[in-house]
């Protein structure tokens, strides 16, 4: 289902030795380019979609079962909705709904608050099969998606967390300009009474403060530049404390849309609604919001499906 996997697209977990702090790094190169290339969004919208994609990978890579993690914003600004999802074992997709004119009216580098306005971020974990879905909803933070996700962890899971995500259009040596995105998170598992090294609570607090101060020194370029290897970044930050980085988990782009799914959605429409959708050539067209795949149907095909279902 995913595209070709390159080593530029991965999630990597790490553990800071002697601290009850764990984290994860995500790098997206061809996946970011593939997801955004399908959309032709204005650059500032592409930027936040790439950040959402990175965040979905940061959070999704921790799933311990087969399933899906979805991030979805809903808000009253020019960008009304951003959706990014992660499906095990590392398949990503994302899209946004926005008012193009209003976005362009904001100028070249609006704040996240100006782009999204007020609203919420929902994080849904769906283990599939008959298992129950879990959803947490937090208010959108003006400072961006990463800050919104931090408050999700603090409210829903009571785990002190720090997250950074960044995205940029980069010009690589001799190559085409391309979207690059990256992110990093750390979590203080001592708050859970975790299983890592036994520490007095004062030490654990001190360790978290130290990990957070070092984390704050990460700049945007270190996250998006493919020349900055994640191991080097982790070494720069935490070599004094000892950091153990685990294997790369590959990430890829993939969409789950199919003609059957589109038919299922359209089958919930009334006859009148369907006839409004018929174009001059007598066909109904539907385009996938995530991958821009286009599907065509004759109204008769849908009517038959509709009758078959009732
Ligand atoms: Zn699709």
């Amino acid at each position: 289902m995913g595209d070709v996997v390159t080593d530029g697209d991965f999630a990597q977990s790490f553990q800071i030795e002697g601290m009850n702090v764990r984290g994860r790094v995500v790098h997206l190169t061809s996946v970011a380019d593939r997801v955004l290339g399908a959309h032709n969004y204005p650059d500032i919208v592409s930027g936040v979609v790439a950040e959402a994609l990175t965040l979905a990978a940061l959070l999704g890579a921790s799933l311990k079962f087969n399933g899906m993690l979805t991030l979805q914003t809903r808000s009253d600004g020019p960008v009304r909705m951003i959706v990014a999802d992660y499906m095990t074992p590392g398949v990503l997709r994302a899209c946004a709904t926005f008012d193009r004119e209003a976005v362009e009216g904001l100028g070249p580098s609006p704040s996240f608050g100006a782009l999204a306005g007020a609203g919420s971020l929902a994080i849904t974990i769906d283990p599939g099969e008959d298992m129950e879905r879990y959803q947490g909803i937090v208010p959108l933070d003006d400072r961006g998606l990463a800050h919104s996700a931090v408050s999700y962890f603090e409210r829903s899971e009571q785990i002190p967390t720090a997250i950074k995500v960044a995205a940029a259009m980069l010009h690589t040596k001799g190559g085409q300009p391309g979207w690059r995105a990256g992110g990093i998170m750390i979590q203080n598992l001592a708050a859970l009474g975790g299983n890592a090294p036994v520490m007095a609570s004062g030490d654990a607090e001190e360790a978290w403060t130290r990990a957070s101060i070092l984390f704050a020194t990460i700049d945007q370029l270190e996250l998006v530049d493919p020349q900055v290897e994640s191991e080097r970044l982790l070494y720069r930050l935490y070599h004094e404390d000892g950091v153990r980085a685990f294997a790369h988990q590959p990430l890829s782009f993939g969409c789950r849309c199919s003609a059957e799914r589109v038919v299922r959605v359209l089958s919930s429409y009334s006859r009148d609604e369907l006839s409004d959708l018929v174009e001059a050539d007598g066909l109904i067209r539907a385009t996938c919001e995530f991958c821009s795949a286009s599907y065509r149907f004759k109204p008769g095909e849908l009517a038959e499906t509709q009758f078959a279902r009732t």
Side-chain angles (χ1 to χ4, degrees):
M1 146 203 287
D3 279 6
V4 179
V5 174
T6 68
D7 197 43
D9 297 281
F10 63 85
Q12 181 176 34
S13 299
F14 62 89
Q15 158 94 45
I16 307 172
E17 305 287 1
M19 288 189 190
N20 217 339
V21 175
R22 298 226 177 136
R24 194 169 298 111
V25 176
V26 162
H27 250 283
L28 296 174
T29 56
S30 55
V31 170
D33 231 19
R34 175 67 182 81
V35 169
L36 298 167
H39 292 312
N40 193 26
Y41 295 155
D43 281 356
I44 42 176
V45 176
S46 291
V48 289
V49 171
E51 289 185 5
L53 197 65
T54 307
L55 196 53
L58 277 173
L59 273 46
S62 71
L63 292 180
K64 301 276 188 289
F65 43 78
N66 289 328
M68 196 166 104
L69 181 142
T70 307
L71 301 178
Q72 177 163 13
T73 69
R74 282 178 193 279
S75 56
D76 63 7
V79 178
R80 293 188 295 277
M81 190 171 84
I82 305 165
V83 185
D85 65 38
Y86 171 101
M87 192 160 168
T88 50
V91 183
L92 292 163
R93 61 178 194 172
C95 66
T97 308
F98 59 94
D99 177 334
R100 193 173 282 268
E101 223 170 274
V103 166
E104 283 164 2
L106 293 173
S109 50
S111 66
F112 179 78
L115 264 182
S120 60
L121 169 69
I123 297 178
T124 310
I125 295 169
D126 187 350
E129 309 280 307
D130 317 324
M131 308 274 290
E132 215 165 310
R133 293 195 326 164
Y134 168 80
Q135 185 173 64
I137 301 180
V138 288
L140 265 190
D141 189 308
D142 266 0
R143 293 168 293 174
L145 291 169
H147 281 96
S148 310
V150 165
S151 68
Y152 161 82
F153 280 107
E154 280 165 2
R155 288 175 194 218
S156 304
E157 308 202 353
Q158 271 116 45
I159 308 176
T161 302
I163 305 178
K164 284 192 181 199
V165 290
M169 173 81 90
L170 287 193
H171 296 259
T172 49
K173 262 183 258 156
Q176 296 281 336
W179 278 97
R180 299 290 178 258
I184 184 169
M185 69 187 287
I186 52 170
Q187 295 196 294
N188 183 13
L189 300 186
L192 298 175
N195 51 9
V198 182
M199 300 175 88
S201 61
D203 291 347
E205 226 168 273
E206 213 171 279
W208 176 245
T209 304
R210 180 176 155 69
S212 306
I213 289 170
L214 292 167
F215 187 89
T217 67
I218 303 167
D219 70 36
Q220 305 272 329
L221 196 62
E222 284 181 291
L223 297 178
V224 296
D225 185 351
Q227 303 302 318
V228 180
E229 288 163 12
S230 56
E231 288 84 358
R232 240 168 63 203
L233 172 62
L234 293 174
Y235 181 82
R236 174 178 89 65
L237 294 169
Y238 299 120
H239 71 278
E240 272 180 36
D241 305 280
V243 58
R244 183 150 54 108
F246 299 97
H248 288 189
Q249 297 167 251
L251 298 169
S252 61
F253 165 78
C255 195
R256 296 181 298 287
C257 65
S258 66
E260 291 76 33
R261 275 173 195 257
V262 180
V263 167
R264 221 178 303 149
V265 172
L266 289 174
S267 296
S268 65
Y269 287 31
S270 72
R271 260 163 202 258
D272 285 349
E273 285 169 327
L274 283 178
S275 60
D276 285 346
L277 295 175
V278 178
E279 295 179 14
D281 59 2
L283 295 176
I284 292 176
R285 284 184 177 72
T287 303
C288 173
E289 293 287 331
F290 286 100
C291 69
S292 298
S294 158
Y295 296 93
R296 290 176 305 175
F297 304 94
K298 290 181 188 144
E301 296 170 343
L302 293 168
E304 276 163 37
T305 319
Q306 201 169 12
F307 291 132
R309 296 194 150 262
T310 49

